[in-house]
Amino acid sequence: MSRIGNKIIPVPSGVKIQVKDGLVDVQGPKGKMTVRVPGGITFEQKDGTLVAKRQTEQQRALHGLARALVANAVTGVTTGFKKDLDIVGVGYRAELKGKTVVFALGYSHPIEFPVPEGIVITVERQTHLTVSGADKNQVGQVAANLRALRPPDPYKQKGVRITGERLKKKAGKAGAKSAAA
């Protein structure tokens, strides 16, 4: 049984938290986030910590979720979140042009990806991207959208992948005889 909901959330210095009915506002050096809290879950501030409390056992399933969402918001406004992506393939590359990332991924045309508000995409080398921001969900979703532009091919291993992602390599055709023979 999980005890995540009972863990305290340490609040670093420089982070301001306001708890209103159903909303928790978290403000820090990297930005401001508002987390919607499910009904029946309340947060109490005590000397530099935040504690999630549930009113009845019916909110048990949402207790850990609410605590994790607020903890992610606190981490996001202090240190932020990031995901690294690698582009693998001959001629595959990315280039940052203003608020747009332009990809050459083997299609007949370049792909332009507008950078959403609250996200920072940096292109280190032409084959390595870093997606960073304060909102963990948004960082993960943007990384998934970039990966979906050209998912890794199981045969040639080419495409956009998250750094460290393990792929299953499939064998190509085996034992096929050529038509010229």
Side-chain angles (χ1 to χ4, degrees), residues 149-177:
L149 296 175
R150 177 69 98 169
D153 177 34
Y155 297 100
K156 295 182 182 176
Q157 305 286 303
K158 293 173 16 175
V160 180
R161 67 177 80 163
I162 295 173
T163 302
E165 179 180 4
R166 297 193 54 185
L167 302 173
K168 282 189 176 178
K169 183 154 171 76
K170 290 186 176 180
K173 284 186 177 179
K177 296 188 178 194

Side-chain angles (χ1 to χ4, degrees), residues 11-83:
V11 179
S13 61
V15 175
K16 294 179 188 165
I17 295 181
Q18 276 189 322
V19 181
K20 293 183 249 175
D21 46 287
L23 295 173
V24 177
D25 290 328
V26 183
Q27 191 169 5
K30 295 236 180 204
K32 181 180 180 184
M33 291 182 64
T34 302
V35 179
R36 186 180 231 69
V37 178
I41 309 289
T42 57
F43 283 89
E44 295 176 3
Q45 268 185 300
K46 295 179 186 172
D47 47 277
T49 60
L50 201 60
V51 180
K53 301 277 186 192
R54 63 178 180 238
Q55 293 171 352
T56 65
E57 282 298 307
Q58 274 63 40
Q59 286 91 23
R60 185 174 172 179
L62 300 172
H63 189 201
L65 170 74
R67 186 253 175 223
L69 291 174
V70 173
N72 284 342
V74 170
T75 304
V77 298
T78 53
T79 58
F81 293 98
K82 73 175 198 161
K83 288 225 181 234

Side-chain angles (χ1 to χ4, degrees), residues 63-172:
H63 189 201
L65 170 74
R67 186 253 175 223
L69 291 174
V70 173
N72 284 342
V74 170
T75 304
V77 298
T78 53
T79 58
F81 293 98
K82 73 175 198 161
K83 288 225 181 234
D84 294 321
L85 291 108
D86 290 322
I87 303 172
V88 179
V90 177
Y92 289 15
R93 63 183 164 275
E95 183 182 357
L96 190 62
K97 288 186 178 175
K99 290 260 181 204
T100 306
V101 183
V102 180
F103 291 93
L105 297 173
Y107 297 116
S108 61
H109 59 284
I111 299 169
E112 294 184 358
F113 186 87
V115 178
E117 201 63 38
I119 293 291
V120 177
I121 297 179
T122 56
V123 179
E124 309 145 15
R125 305 190 304 271
Q126 291 181 331
T127 58
H128 186 78
L129 294 142
T130 302
V131 179
S132 57
D135 188 355
K136 186 176 185 177
N137 292 337
Q138 190 180 20
V139 169
Q141 187 61 54
V142 169
N145 292 346
L146 291 173
R147 183 184 182 277
L149 296 175
R150 177 69 98 169
D153 177 34
Y155 297 100
K156 295 182 182 176
Q157 305 286 303
K158 293 173 16 175
V160 180
R161 67 177 80 163
I162 295 173
T163 302
E165 179 180 4
R166 297 193 54 185
L167 302 173
K168 282 189 176 178
K169 183 154 171 76
K170 290 186 176 180

